[in-house]
């Protein structure tokens, strides 16, 4: 698809990525519920990626870089958490560490709602082409 004049390079890349995603997964948008479902999926992927990066920072090494590990703490799977959003409920996987020292900053313990402000920030990050690693 041709880039629109007003599109930034990031927005054009996002548009292309979404078209590819919809086409590859044979998804057709017929109603607002379809849009809500896609937005929920996008948000959950981004939130899980950011939480994984938070744990990387906490532990000091990435998931597959255990040889550079300088701590006796390590990853210990994920816990499921249901978050309420304006797009509907979504399940996300919250990473854990063995010692229980990891405190998520993006979604603190016992928080179960994603605020409108956070939703807008997540959407703007996607629109700007930010990856979960960023």
């Amino acid at each position: 698809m041709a880039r629109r004049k007003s599109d930034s390079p990031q927005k054009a890349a996002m548009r292309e990525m979404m078209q590819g995603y919809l086409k590859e997964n044979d998804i057709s948008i017929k109603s607002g519920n379809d849009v809500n479902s896609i937005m929920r999926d996008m948000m959950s992927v981004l939130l899980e990626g950011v939480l994984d990066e938070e744990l990387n920072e906490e532990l000091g090494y990435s998931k597959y870089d255990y040889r550079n590990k300088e701590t006796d703490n390590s990853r210990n799977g994920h816990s499921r958490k249901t978050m309420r959003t304006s797009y509907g409920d979504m399940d996300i996987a919250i990473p854990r560490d063995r010692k229980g020292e990891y405190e998520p900053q993006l979604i603190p313990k016992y928080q179960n709602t994603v605020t409108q402000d956070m939703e807008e920030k997540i959407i703007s990050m996607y629109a700007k082409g930010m990856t979960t690693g960023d």
Side-chain angles (χ1 to χ4, degrees):
M1 177 178 190
R3 183 174 158 196
R4 296 177 186 184
K5 288 183 181 182
S6 62
D7 277 357
S8 65
Q10 295 89 356
K11 192 171 183 179
M14 177 61 69
R15 187 181 312 280
E16 191 173 311
M17 181 186 73
M18 284 305 299
Q19 287 175 340
Y21 170 77
L22 295 173
K23 186 176 181 181
E24 288 172 15
N25 294 293
D26 196 29
I27 298 172
S28 61
I29 298 175
K30 296 179 179 147
S31 69
N33 289 337
D34 295 338
V35 173
N36 283 346
S37 175
I38 291 171
M39 293 301 291
R40 256 193 327 268
D41 292 345
M42 286 174 48
M43 262 204 276
S44 67
V45 167
L46 182 65
L47 289 174
E48 288 173 353
V50 171
L51 290 168
D52 285 338
E53 287 300 317
E54 277 186 11
L55 185 59
N56 287 348
E57 289 293 316
E58 173 81 19
L59 296 176
Y61 68 98
S62 64
K63 187 172 184 176
Y64 300 108
D65 191 25
Y66 58 89
R67 293 174 196 227
N68 294 326
K69 181 177 170 180
E70 296 176 6
T71 179
D72 59 345
N73 199 359
S74 60
R75 288 168 177 71
N76 192 26
H78 293 82
S79 298
R80 302 302 295 167
K81 187 175 197 175
T82 300
M83 300 295 295
R84 298 191 187 340
T85 70
S86 62
Y87 302 110
D89 292 354
M90 70 176 172
D91 290 327
I92 58 172
I94 307 288
R96 296 185 308 233
D97 65 329
R98 289 213 181 259
K99 291 186 171 183
E101 297 171 349
Y102 170 59
E103 293 282 336
Q105 301 299 308
L106 181 65
I107 302 173
K109 289 184 178 181
Y110 311 111
Q111 178 181 338
N112 63 357
T113 58
V114 177
T115 62
Q116 184 68 29
D117 183 47
M118 187 185 297
E119 287 178 1
E120 290 172 3
K121 287 178 183 176
I122 291 169
I123 292 169
S124 71
M125 284 190 275
Y126 264 115
K128 292 177 182 174
M130 182 176 270
T131 63
T132 54
D134 293 340

